[in-house]
């Protein structure tokens, strides 16, 4: 036997079926969007993590000044650090053909054992009619002080 | 006055000496709405005894305190001061839960505008009450008591005003209340239909033994009551006892 309150609920819902359907659709779409957005965020997070893992991109970049190479050993000893790599970076002004004024460049040293695929992109340099190989004269504070700056990059152990 | 109520199994049980025939007794009952200069004194110290099983009519102009007294005795409102006892149980100090039990198990209400659920049939409107009452009448039996046995499955919109009010009475009676409160039960009805409703109330009083308290503006209704209480300005002006109540069918207004 149907309770009178259940009967009232059913009849009231049937009487306002248009509104009830519209509310159900809005709630359904809301849930759908929530599920889609959650899946999208999870997918992007996993893609980012996979990308970082595949290309061994550092999780931490720590700019240091006047840091000798032995600092790298201290950094490797920190628990959770999987790898540490040091680079020398510095700003420089270089003369490029076709440019009336010197171009501002960011000089970054390459690792000792350069791997294929790890070379820097030179599309910007190519746009300026340069190519790898030739040397350029430049005015750089970094080049004059080999131990002047030594950015250390590190990555966590997986 | 009666002994205090004893709560048993979640229900308010009222223990009253057999010699105590009063359904209600009030002393100095006062109700004030608001405060300060804007205060409205709805009741100004009402002393009243209502014997059990009587049909009582409360008469008086609008704002004289009739409905306020009914609401306090029915557990719908609380008094500002004074005492109101139902078979010895003090209503003015009851908790909200105790008042809910009191309303659920001891009193029925009939209002001027029926207050029926429009999406439920007459039978289902009565079932709303019988589902939560301890020892209810069968809904069909309650509707037969008010002469609606052939209208069980009609919705309120398919019933006349008088029939809707009779459904409301059936709903109030179905839980076998000891007291039936009626606030202007004929206020929205023509005299012929109103007379039929009053006859139903008189039948309920006679057949179930319930105390029936009717608030009305229709002075002619006094003829059918055992006791008529005249209200004016928040006070009882006069209480008249009618030794020979007239049948409702003979009332004209």
């Amino acid at each position: 036997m149907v309770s009178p309150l259940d009967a009232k609920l059913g009849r009231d819902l049937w009487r306002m079926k248009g509104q009830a359907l519209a509310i159900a659709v809005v709630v359904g779409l809301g849930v759908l969007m929530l599920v889609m957005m959650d899946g999208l965020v999870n997918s992007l997070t996993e893609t980012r993590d996979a990308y970082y893992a595949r290309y061994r991109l550092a999780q931490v970049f720590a700019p240091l000044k006047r840091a000798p190479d032995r600092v790298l050993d201290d950094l490797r000893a920190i628990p959770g650090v999987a790898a540490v790599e040091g680079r020398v970076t510095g700003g420089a002004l270089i003369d490029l053909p076709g440019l009336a004024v010197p171009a501002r460049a960011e000089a970054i040293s390459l690792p000792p054992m350069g791997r294929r695929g790890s070379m820097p992109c030179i599309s910007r340099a190519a746009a300026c009619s340069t190519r790898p190989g030739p040397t350029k004269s430049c005015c750089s504070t970094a080049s004059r002080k080999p131990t002047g700056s030594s950015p250390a990059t590190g990555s966590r152990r997986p | 006055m009666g002994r205090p109520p004893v709560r048993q199994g979640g229900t308010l049980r009222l223990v009253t000496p057999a010699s105590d025939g009063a359904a209600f007794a009030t002393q100095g009952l006062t109700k004030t709405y608001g405060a300060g200069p804007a205060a409205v004194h709805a009741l100004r110290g009402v002393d009243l005894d209502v014997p059990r099983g009587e049909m009582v009519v409360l008469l008086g102009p609008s704002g004289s305190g009739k409905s306020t007294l009914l609401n306090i005795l029915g557990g719908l409102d609380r008094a500002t001061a004074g005492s109101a006892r139902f078979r010895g149980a003090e209503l003015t100090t009851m908790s909200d839960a105790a008042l809910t039990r009191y309303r659920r198990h001891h009193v029925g209400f009939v209002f001027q505008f029926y207050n029926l659920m429009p999406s439920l049939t007459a039978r289902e409107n009565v079932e709303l009450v019988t589902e939560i009452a301890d020892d209810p009448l069968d809904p069909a039996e309650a509707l037969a008591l008010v002469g609606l046995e052939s209208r069980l499955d009609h919705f309120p919109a398919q019933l006349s005003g008088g029939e809707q009010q009779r459904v409301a009475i059936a709903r109030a009676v179905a839980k076998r209340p000891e007291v039936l409160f009626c606030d202007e039960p004929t206020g929205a009805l023509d005299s012929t239909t109103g007379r039929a409703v009053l006859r139903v109330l008189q039948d309920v009083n006679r057949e179930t033994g319930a105390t029936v308290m009717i608030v009305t503006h229709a002075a002619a209704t006094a003829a059918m009551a055992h006791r008529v209480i005249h209200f004016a300005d928040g006070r009882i002006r006069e209480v008249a006892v009618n030794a020979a109540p007239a049948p409702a069918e003979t009332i004209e207004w």
Side-chain angles (χ1 to χ4, degrees), chain A residues 1-5 7-9 11-12 15, chain B residues 117-121 124-125 127-128 131 155:
Chain A
M1 181 182 169
V2 181
S3 150
L5 284 180
K8 180 179 186 306
L9 175 66
R11 287 178 197 144
D12 288 348
R15 187 168 46 80
Chain B
M117 293 290 170
S119 54
L120 295 182
T121 64
E124 289 164 344
N125 265 286
E127 282 175 352
L128 280 178
E131 275 203 339
F155 289 94

Side-chain angles (χ1 to χ4, degrees), chain A residues 117-138:
Chain A
S118 64
M119 296 298 286
C121 174
I122 57 169
S123 58
R124 175 69 177 172
C128 298
S129 304
T130 62
R131 55 188 175 80
T135 58
K136 290 284 181 184
S137 63
C138 66

Side-chain angles (χ1 to χ4, degrees), chain B residues 122 140 143-144 146-154 159 163 166:
Chain B
L143 285 162
V146 297
L148 290 176
E149 59 274 21
S150 61
R151 312 281 270 168
L152 298 179
D153 297 318
H154 287 70
L159 301 171
E163 288 173 328
R166 283 149 67 191

Side-chain angles (χ1 to χ4, degrees), chain B residues 215-240:
Chain B
V215 164
T216 181
H217 285 111
T221 311
M224 63 177 277
H226 296 103
R227 188 176 299 260
V228 183
I229 301 170
H230 294 269
F231 264 82
D233 196 25
R235 294 186 178 89
I236 293 177
R237 186 162 54 84
E238 180 189 1
V239 178

Side-chain angles (χ1 to χ4, degrees), chain B residues 4-8 11-15:
Chain B
V6 179
R7 189 183 296 177
Q8 293 176 349
T11 302
L12 192 72
R13 300 295 181 197
L14 299 152
V15 182

Side-chain angles (χ1 to χ4, degrees), chain B residues 119-199:
Chain B
S119 54
L120 295 182
T121 64
R123 185 205 304 266
E124 289 164 344
N125 265 286
V126 177
E127 282 175 352
L128 280 178
V129 168
T130 59
E131 275 203 339
I132 61 171
D134 282 341
D135 180 28
L137 293 173
D138 180 72
E141 186 184 347
L143 285 162
L145 196 65
V146 297
L148 290 176
E149 59 274 21
S150 61
R151 312 281 270 168
L152 298 179
D153 297 318
H154 287 70
F155 289 94
Q158 299 169 314
L159 301 171
S160 68
E163 288 173 328
Q164 289 183 55
Q165 190 61 297
R166 283 149 67 191
V167 174
I169 294 171
R171 183 178 59 183
V173 167
K175 61 180 174 182
R176 303 183 200 268
E178 291 156 74
V179 187
L180 187 60
F181 293 106
C182 309
D183 196 353
E184 301 277 6
T186 59
L189 305 172
D190 62 79
S191 60
T192 305
T193 312
R195 204 176 297 123
V197 167
L198 290 177
R199 188 180 60 78

